[in-house]
Amino acid sequence: MTVADPTLRVERSLHRGGARYVIGCDEVGRGAIAGPVAVGLSVVGVGIRKHPDGLRDSKMLSEKRREQLSPLAQQWSHFSAVGLASALEVDTIGIMAALALAGRRALVELHEAGVPIMESVVLLDGSHDWLTPGLTTPPPVRTQVKADRDCASVAAASVIAKVHRDRIMIEADEAIPGYGWAGNKGYGSTEHYAAIDSLGASELHRQTWLHARSA
């Protein structure tokens, strides 16, 4: 089945509703057992041009294609940012609060770059607003199911965040070898679990998730 290209229809509707910017937002790494969770943001204004050819939700792209598209998505966005929450933070405060923390860090980066956050609308993939509970003064948030597939700003955020996080895990594979992170990116493959059984867990593993598996 052919999947249609993402568009800017939702973003333009939000612009017409008064948003100075629309901030596409997506997370990656939620289901991993090791490494950080990452939240990507892609900011588009009223005059944004057509998105890069081939842009898709990161899950629909090969690793090679994501690497090609990430710099194009960053150049296309008026601004972009990625916020992280570590495996330890996931263990300490839980995955939903860690997502909100990573999102807040990304929004702070945008604020420091001069983006008027409170004059913007965050376009968040999914049906649940996990971002607002982590913010003291949240901007308007619009949830949209399958926004990573249908909305160009969210697809861009997805690719930018995925490539950023993947590179962290590839570097970690060199620093802490044996777990296959360059291939599995911290997700729970059979080989990854076998490595944990052989080597034990590392400081990059989400300990509470491993405990839940063994319980």
Side-chain angles (χ1 to χ4, degrees), residues 6-9 11-12 15 21 42-53 55 69-79 151-153 156:
T7 72
L8 287 164
R9 281 194 287 268
E11 289 91 337
R12 285 172 176 152
H15 287 144
Y21 288 104
S42 169
V43 181
V44 299
V46 174
I48 195 75
R49 63 191 183 280
K50 185 183 182 299
H51 59 77
D53 289 339
L55 181 66
L69 280 167
S70 180
L72 299 178
Q74 292 178 65
Q75 292 164 15
W76 171 75
S77 306
H78 284 133
F79 302 89
C151 302
S153 67

Side-chain angles (χ1 to χ4, degrees), residues 136-154:
T136 303
T137 308
V141 173
R142 158 81 176 267
T143 59
Q144 180 86 11
V145 174
K146 298 191 182 302
D148 53 359
R149 182 195 67 184
D150 298 334
C151 302
S153 67
V154 183

